[in-house]
Amino acid sequence: MAIVLRDKFEMLSNMTPSLKEGEYVFCSIPNEGSKAHNLNPIATFHEKEGLTVILEKGEAHEAGFEISLAMRQITLIVNSALDGVGLTAGVAASLAEAGIPCNMVAAYHHDHIFVPTGLADRALHLLERLQRESARAMR
């Protein structure tokens, strides 16, 4: 059984950011809407205003959604606890300092960061640097 990390610096120093193939868009389906049928979202979230779905860009386009803000997904490969403190904040702060907007999605096994397509490579390099710097700080 893998050790589950809860400490900010342990999580940051042990994360491996991985840039996934493809582009994604965040879409919203009104609560009374029927567009959700036959969609294959990678994530959903129910909000008062409607159902948020994260779709592959091509599927979103075919379904008639706005696709102007295409994003790339960076997954953090780290055994972080659901009650771990600081991973999301550390990652978001690092990207914010560089002027890179991000949407964080925390799932059961991994955290996922969505950044605008044109900034994905830069974001990945910043997160790799954050990992290295955090590992050095722990020594």
Side-chain angles (χ1 to χ4, degrees), residues 102-131:
C102 68
N103 285 287
M104 305 290 295
V105 175
Y108 189 86
H109 293 284
H110 302 288
D111 290 77
H112 309 273
I113 302 117
F114 291 85
V115 297
T117 295
L119 299 172
D121 289 328
R122 186 168 161 228
L124 178 65
H125 294 295
L126 284 169
L127 295 176
E128 290 170 338
R129 185 172 76 203
L130 175 62
Q131 184 276 328

Side-chain angles (χ1 to χ4, degrees), residues 36-71:
H37 300 290
N38 299 319
L39 294 178
N40 188 30
I42 64 166
T44 62
F45 197 89
H46 290 272
E47 299 177 286
K48 180 180 75 171
E49 299 84 358
L51 177 68
T52 295
V53 294
I54 304 174
L55 297 170
E56 188 276 330
K57 182 181 172 183
E59 180 179 6
H61 178 70
E62 288 175 16
F65 289 105
E66 171 63 41
I67 60 167
S68 62
L69 183 56
M71 304 186 102

Side-chain angles (χ1 to χ4, degrees), residues 15-19 74-77 123-124 127-128 131:
M15 71 176 183
T16 302
S18 174
L19 182 61
I74 300 172
T75 297
L76 301 179
I77 311 299
L124 178 65
L127 295 176
E128 290 170 338
Q131 184 276 328

Side-chain angles (χ1 to χ4, degrees), residues 4 8-9 14 18 23 28-29 33 35 44 74 80 84 87 90 96 99 104 106-108 113-114 126 129 133:
V4 179
K8 172 184 176 177
F9 293 105
N14 286 285
S18 174
E23 291 181 289
S28 181
I29 301 169
K35 278 189 171 181
T44 62
I74 300 172
S80 59
L87 178 64
M104 305 290 295
Y108 189 86
I113 302 117
F114 291 85
L126 284 169
R129 185 172 76 203
E133 290 172 355

